[in-house]
Amino acid sequence: MEKGCANSMKVCSVVGNRPQFIKSVLLHHELRQQCELVVVNTGQHYDYALSGIFFDELEMPGPDYDLHVGSGGHVTQVARVLDRIEEVIKKEKPDKVIVWGDTNSTLGAALAAVKMGIPVAHVEAGPRQYDLGIPEEVNRVVVDHISTYLFAPTQHCANVLLMENIPLSRVWTTGDVMFDNFLRFAPKTREHRHVLVTIHRPVNTDNADRLWSIIMALESIQVNAGIGQVIFPAHPRTVHRLDGHRKSIVSMTEPVSYLEMLSLLCKANLVITDSGGLQKEAYWAGVPCLNVDVSGLWPELEEAGWNRVVDPVGLIDAAIDTHVGQSIDGVFGDGKAYKRIAEILTSA
Ligand code: UD1
């Protein structure tokens, strides 16, 4: 048993993508005090700027296993996780397997665990976009329906799960572990001096015309909207797609660390993104957000006016006409989701 463990339970947590490394920091720390924790990194993200940097910056112990799944088609990625995690689960024999969010790593790990008779705990259960053409939607729906512990970040997410006939006894509304992180790590000062952009979803990057219309809109916002410089820390997928055409007046940088991202966010007067996570962080920082066609994930933010869904053509007008939304305090919990989740996992 690990030093400091309060009981003999063994929990295996599977991460593999940038947001999962960040989301897991507080719950992993909490679980290490209460039980034995085995951390598996699928290696879906492998560049230092998308993976190792977060372990270093947040002072997290390195993972116990790395499956080196890497890049590939969706089927290949899921298949590699399924295949490679079997040995780890056989060897470690965990009592529960935790999976996070909606990536291919999440699906592969959850499928392997449930097939091997290990109960799955899903952190960030319940968001839906109701479009099975979106790879993450397939992952969300399947993982929620094969999980035993579903940790919903909002009441709306919990209601979705109940409407899909998932038994109430499996669903807990815990609050959002990303909000826990934000309260812990975000700077307290706000400055409002630039436009922060991230674009990485295939829907926006994999069609060259669409990606270029977004870049042109960003250039126009920088020149004409009078709301400051555009800062765009770019995911490698976006950089690859732009290839030799990167020369733009928009300041496109390498991916940044979590703390640097929070610092950029808290100095922003507008966020333009297709990230589900940054949509929420923008609200917590009090910064209006234009969401480039990733609708439905957080309807609370859309309804309260914090998060406006726009297509590339509408970006410039929407950027000129931004405003903050109504207060929806408490929707994402109270900053203690990780404590609730740890308690449920170690007592059940
Ligand atoms: C994945 C998730 C997405 C999540 C995102 C977080 C799925 C289906 N999608 O998308 O939900 O929002 O992670 O960032 O799991 N690449 C590198 N270096 C890396 C990793 C990837 O250069 O370390 C490049 C490769 O060209 C790769 C591409 O990025 O083909 C896409 O990576 P992939 O892991 O397939 O999906 P993401 O777009 O990162």
Side-chain angles (χ1 to χ4, degrees):
M1 201 188 298
E2 276 193 2
K3 203 167 155 229
C5 289
N7 74 32
S8 61
M9 187 175 294
K10 186 191 272 193
V11 174
C12 173
S13 174
V14 186
V15 290
N17 300 68
R18 170 168 59 181
Q20 296 165 346
F21 303 130
I22 298 166
K23 283 173 199 177
S24 61
V25 57
L26 295 176
L27 178 58
H28 281 182
H29 182 73
E30 189 73 14
L31 286 173
R32 282 194 176 93
Q33 318 299 312
Q34 300 189 29
C35 68
E36 185 175 354
L37 176 70
V38 175
V39 176
V40 178
N41 177 8
T42 67
Q44 181 176 342
H45 283 175
Y46 44 87
D47 285 347
Y48 180 73
L50 296 191
S51 56
I53 193 170
F54 306 108
F55 287 89
D56 292 345
E57 177 176 71
L58 300 172
E59 297 178 2
M60 294 187 279
D64 300 288
Y65 295 88
D66 192 331
L67 306 181
H68 299 289
V69 160
S71 297
H74 294 287
V75 175
T76 305
Q77 279 182 329
V78 175
R80 283 189 195 141
V81 176
L82 260 172
D83 186 38
R84 295 178 193 183
I85 207 168
E86 185 178 12
E87 281 309 306
V88 177
I89 294 178
K90 261 190 203 157
K91 181 169 167 230
E92 294 290 344
K93 301 183 180 52
D95 297 294
K96 287 156 192 154
V97 169
I98 305 176
V99 297
W100 304 77
D102 57 13
T103 73
N104 290 339
S105 294
T106 316
L107 177 61
L111 266 178
V114 76
K115 287 282 179 193
M116 296 175 79
I118 316 286
V120 175
H122 187 199
V123 180
E124 207 167 76
R128 291 288 183 271
Q129 290 181 278
Y130 301 106
D131 177 355
L132 289 176
I134 299 170
E136 289 81 0
E137 181 75 357
V138 179
N139 299 342
R140 289 173 201 129
V141 172
V142 175
V143 173
D144 282 341
H145 283 264
I146 60 176
S147 292
T148 303
Y149 303 87
L150 291 98
F151 300 123
T154 66
Q155 190 56 51
H156 174 82
C157 289
N159 293 346
V160 165
L161 297 168
L162 300 179
M163 279 169 59
E164 291 181 8
N165 293 322
I166 291 174
L168 179 62
S169 58
R170 296 188 186 179
V171 179
W172 287 265
T173 307
T174 55
D176 193 319
V177 290
M178 287 186 68
F179 184 47
D180 304 352
N181 271 1
F182 185 86
L183 293 180
R184 176 74 62 100
F185 296 111
K188 304 294 174 228
T189 50
R190 308 280 184 264
E191 286 184 47
H192 309 304
R193 61 182 196 208
H194 57 235
V195 179
L196 177 62
V197 176
T198 71
I199 296 289
H200 77 285
R201 298 263 172 206
V203 63
N204 287 322
T205 59
D206 291 5
N207 172 325
D209 290 343
R210 187 176 169 92
L211 182 55
W212 262 109
S213 65
I214 294 171
I215 299 291
M216 300 305 280
L218 295 176
E219 293 200 351
S220 178
I221 288 166
Q222 176 157 301
V223 173
N224 300 317
I227 46 176
Q229 192 195 357
V230 172
I231 296 183
F232 186 170
H235 186 290
R237 172 202 286 284
T238 313
V239 174
H240 293 166
R241 295 291 185 270
L242 285 170
D243 199 18
H245 306 287
R246 261 187 87 174
K247 294 252 173 302
S248 148
I249 58 166
V250 169
S251 170
M252 202 177 279
T253 68
E254 297 299 313
V256 295
S257 74
Y258 177 54
L259 298 184
E260 206 176 330
M261 192 65 181
L262 288 179
S263 165
L264 287 172
L265 171 63
C266 291
K267 290 178 191 154
N269 49 28
L270 175 64
V271 165
I272 298 176
T273 191
D274 58 9
S275 151
L278 189 58
Q279 290 175 28
K280 293 184 288 183
E281 289 168 328
Y283 160 63
W284 298 326
V287 180
C289 177
L290 302 179
N291 156 1
V292 188
D293 270 348
V294 176
S295 61
L297 261 185
W298 306 108
E300 301 90 339
L301 297 181
E302 290 172 35
E303 281 157 24
W306 283 99
N307 184 359
R308 281 162 70 196
V309 181
V310 289
D311 63 17
V313 178
L315 261 179
I316 301 168
D317 285 347
I320 290 167
D321 175 33
T322 53
H323 36 77
V324 296
Q326 295 158 5
S327 169
I328 46 167
D329 281 358
V331 161
F332 295 95
D334 58 1
K336 296 199 174 74
Y338 71 102
K339 283 203 175 276
R340 267 177 217 111
I341 294 172
E343 195 184 323
I344 294 159
L345 285 177
T346 53
S347 60

